[in-house]
Amino acid sequence: MFVFLSKKIAIPHNLALHVVSWNSAQGWIACGGESGLLKVLKLESGGEGGGKAGGGQSNLSMNQTLEGHQGTIMVIAWNENFRKLSTSDQNGLIIVWMLHRGIWFEEMINNRNRSVVRDMKWSSDCQKICIIYEDGAIIVGTVDGQRLWGKEVKTQLAFVAWSPDGKSILFCTLNGEVHVYDNEGVYSHRCPIHCLDGQEGTVAIAGIDWYCGAPASADAQMPTLSVGFENGRVQIMMNDSDDKPVLIDTQMRCTCLKWDPNGTTLAIGGMQSQSQSGGDREVGVVQFYTPTGQHLRTLRVPGQNLRSISWEGNGLRLALAVDSHIFFANIRPDYLWGYFSHTLVYAVLRRERSEHVVVFWDTHNDEKYTKYIKHVTHIKSSDDYCVLVTKADDASGQHIVIVCNDIGSPVDSKYLHIEPMHVAMTNTHVIVASEDVVYIWMYRSSVVKQSQGELASVSLGNKRRTEMMFHIDESFAPGSGMHDKEGFVPPAGHAQDPIACVCATEHCFLVARESGVVQRYSLPHLSLEVRFSVPCRPQVISVNCNGTKMSVLDINGILTMYDVEVKSSTGGLMFGSAAEPKPPSSGEGPGTPLDFERKDVWNMRWASDNPDLFAIMEKTRMYIVRGLQPEEPVLSNAYICAFKDLQIQSVLIDEVMQNPECPRKEVLLDFETKSLRDTRNILTKVSNLKDAFNYVDANPHPRLWRLLAEAALDQLDFAVAEKAFVRYEDYQGILLVKRLRLLDDRIKQKAEVAAYFQRFDEAESLYREIDRKDLAIDLRVRLGDWFRVIQLAQGGNEDLLRQAWSSIGDYYADRGKWSNAAQYYAKAQNNDALVDTYYFLEDYNALERLINLLPEGSPLLTDVGNKFTSVGLCDQAVQAYLRHGDIKTAVDTCVLLNQWDLAVTLAQKHNFQQIEGLLAKYAQHLLDKNKKLEAVQLYRKASKHTEAAKLLAQVAKEMPGGVQRHPGRIKKLYLLAALEVEKFKEKTLDVQMTGATVGTMTTAQTLQSLITQDQSVASDKALESPWRGCEALHLYLLAQRQLYEGNHDQAMKTALRLSDYEDILDTQTIYSIMGLCAYYNKFLMQCSKAFIKLEASADINEEMQTKFADLALAIFTRNTPRDPSSRMHPCPKCHTDMHDWCINCPSCNYRLLFCVASGRSIFPEDRARAAGAPPGTDPGTIKCRTCRHRMYTSEVKKLRNCPLCHSRLDAAYGHVRNS
């Protein structure tokens, strides 16, 4: 941080001030002094943006004198929550003031008259006030004046402080003791004092302050209680019982101390003795410390007596009561921020989350990228990247170095075991330093430095190291000094001369130590070039772009300059010659001081493109220095981001930090150097460019030469323009001037210049003035302004219009506006682009129409086919391929999209023989993966019905669990297999079996079809009798259902028929259901036959056979195996009478048909009913058209579908009704 005095307010009549207090919430400043002087002031900035940019020059917006006290004002206390002011004087008079309509009035008065009020403090919630008197009296009251409790202690009191939680009160005695009471006035303990070295009780306390805000950092264990003594000793504690406080010796007579509003800085004010020729004299001094005791800054204040200090609410200013004046000091904090690639990166502590919010703000596009990172300690930037240094979240104590791009994405990271205290970054390297160790990380490949090439090759060897570490005191002899990070062993003790700061450029980096010694090293090959010393303690060092000059900003804010150029004749620092640093001298060589010194400097930046230019912030002014001569200052309070092309970019970081989530672009400020401003003025006001040329020649800079060249072009002064482009080293500009000289028309020259300056409308207007519409069109074509080309070329060249329409289509396509693109591509007849556009629009109908518009054999048809194939539109893809003449690709597409029927059709039509082999190979591939149903689907689509039927029958037989678990599913599989066989037969015979067109076929054709069919199905039983499997499962399910419904007679008749299907169902399943149904139907003979089969079958294991035998024994020992009488029917063939439950004739073995609805055998009706029926018809049954199985009409009256194959029965019903 930096601090400097910025303003002084004098008190009338030279009345000495004793106390000053700044209201941190509303900004009022109360000051009190002799003779009852009490004033309330308020500072107001002169303007919003301009005032802040202009350095925060403030005027008084309130200056009210409060009358009521007669004696010297001793204590002032603000109640910020309730906007009240409490004051007390040496006579013990206490007045509470309130604000009414912008004026302060007395609200309450209390006069004890017995003793003087030494201190009074409000609690952190502003609800309670504690007042202490010198005689030991203590009063605690509320905000409305009510007294809560009082107490008399037997000692004289000096100061009081509330704990942040309001549960404890600390009382300081005049002799230097600190006593702790609770908020009810009960004594607790005595606060330990360690800073006095055993002199406790003999040194008076100068002040006490307990920070009551949120934790001051991401580490919640930061000290917040500070106690200062008049002898300059200060201790900072975690709490009132801390036995390991931070101890500070300020070496001055302390008078006051105060925490800043963030709890990160402790300001200690007092008087310090200085020896002069006339004797010792005391001067006012304010010292600033961190909570850990690190000294930040010392501010010297003119005057005889510094009695009181107070912070502004935002922590950016400090008010000091010195004699009869109020001094204001501006604080310039060390924010965590950086600027690169038009991106401002900054980190702000989020106390509620105990982590930093890191914002990457793209200042061009006003886009923000936010990251949350814990324990951010440093942020530095180069041209393209920034580096964040954070502390690891674990207990390892490591730190992480993270390189990020401009959107906050980590590019690379490294872990370090040293504590990073100083960080520098270039475009290729990151340099991190602790107190005595330097770490170099080459995060990007760099150019080999020529001047130290041999030395680097000796030290580095053949392998380039990306990470190196060394101790600051190590010598760089061959084979020593540099180490890989893994091989480096940190020193055991602390450095006698710690590192104070570092800086770096592309070719070197410098390390400054607290003693003033500066060591310069080369990059990228590390070697110590020179060592010299400066007569101050450096706080910040910076080196110019070519590494020849170094600026040093010391602890007192004094900026000095040194020549650090390493002449090639000196050869750098040789091995072993670095024992003693070179002292500063008036001669030449590294470390030579330059004749330049500025005070109160808090920010400085070298120009990135000119080694003699730099900008500094001195108090509230910005100076731009060329060489060593400063230009006229500009009022500013902004931090410098970048200095390039004679232009300074700066940012009001204070405002950004106050609202980090939503930064405004108004915080970004640009300043120009005097030479740039003067050049603009000369070019604007002076018509003769020779004067401007002479001025730029005297103050050369590429930016100025560019300005001059552009101005000369504007005036068509080609001689000056060419010279300026030569000095600017712009070859393209030189070629432009030559081309302009070749033009014969001045207006053409003006038009070309206007186009060069991107004033295209003006250039077009000039071309049209001379009736050169073609040049205007050519200009727009070169610019790619095709909309304007269409306007200019209407009714002209059709090829140009088509090119323009096509380019406009490209314009819309690049932006994803495919509908607009399609319109313009259609106008341009750009079929290639139309194909892609329709595809992106998913307008497949338009793409299909495009097929017929393209000529046959066009290569574009292949692209169209590929696009249709990618979305699964087989027919359209085949159409495109066929129009192109690519039959093979059309067939391959059908195969790819699993359209085998179309593939086979195409193959047969075009005599494509490979389809059968491909079909077989793909089917085998599916079978190898056990995807049998997918193979079935493949065969079905390819019209390979017999193969599909075989696979379906195989899947039915291999169904896990068999008939017992999945009878319904197995029946469906057999049914599908049978239907596939029927399709094959229908296809082979080429005739519909339900029609009456059989006679249309010739005998030879019919015979040939039957022979073909017989050859195809003879090899497989599933194909020869396709309905057997479906019949078996249908009868099994029907018997089960009838049995559960209690229809035992029908169940037995159905079950008896299962004996014909032992090739489909296993023996145990058939005869178990048969025996069960016969037993429940009391047909014990049939039951006995079933048990005989179960006991004798070789397919049933012995255990089950034994169980069946035991069960048969139990049944037939109690029952005779005899069947009851039943209805008799004649055999349709031999007319022998037989039982109605028989499935075939016992005499001629004629197998009876069965009703698929009930399972009963079908017998012909008696002769009387059948006499009127046509021959070959059976009026009591109907036949399904699909499976050709019969069923009794009485059984299916309520059914709409065939019980076996589930096809519709409408046609069959019509046949019955007609008959």
Side-chain angles (χ1 to χ4, degrees), residues 72 81 193 250 271 282 328 440 624 741 861 898 1026 1199:
T72 301
N81 290 0
I193 303 298
T250 62
M271 305 301 293
E282 283 191 331
F328 291 94
I440 302 103
I624 298 172
R741 281 176 167 165
L861 288 166
N898 213 16
L1199 299 179

Side-chain angles (χ1 to χ4, degrees), residues 305-362:
N305 206 340
L306 170 61
R307 288 191 172 92
S308 178
I309 60 176
S310 184
W311 289 88
E312 188 184 12
N314 56 15
L316 297 179
R317 283 188 290 191
L318 188 68
L320 305 97
V322 182
D323 299 335
S324 59
H325 298 86
I326 301 177
F327 284 89
F328 291 94
N330 281 20
I331 312 297
R332 307 313 294 144
D334 292 330
Y335 294 116
L336 294 173
W337 73 286
Y339 184 82
F340 65 104
S341 298
H342 308 295
T343 299
L344 182 70
V345 53
Y346 52 92
V348 182
L349 177 65
R350 280 282 180 253
R351 299 183 179 182
E352 66 275 6
R353 300 181 54 150
S354 296
E355 59 185 351
H356 285 85
V357 53
V358 182
V359 180
F360 291 80
W361 177 28
D362 185 344

Side-chain angles (χ1 to χ4, degrees), residues 118-124 128-132 138 140 157-173 178-183 205 207-212 224-227 237 240 257-259:
R118 290 303 304 263
D119 198 7
M120 55 184 174
K121 294 280 179 61
W122 289 94
S123 61
S124 59
K128 300 177 184 178
I129 187 171
C130 182
I131 306 170
I132 61 170
I138 303 171
V140 176
L157 299 178
F159 296 99
V160 64
W162 288 86
S163 65
D165 58 6
K167 295 181 180 179
S168 302
I169 309 176
L170 277 62
F171 298 104
C172 303
T173 65
V178 181
H179 299 273
V180 183
Y181 288 73
D182 66 11
N183 57 5
I205 290 181
I208 182 172
D209 190 22
W210 200 337
Y211 176 68
C212 60
T224 55
L225 173 59
S226 58
V227 182
M237 299 178 285
D240 52 26
L257 54 82
K258 194 71 175 175
W259 285 106

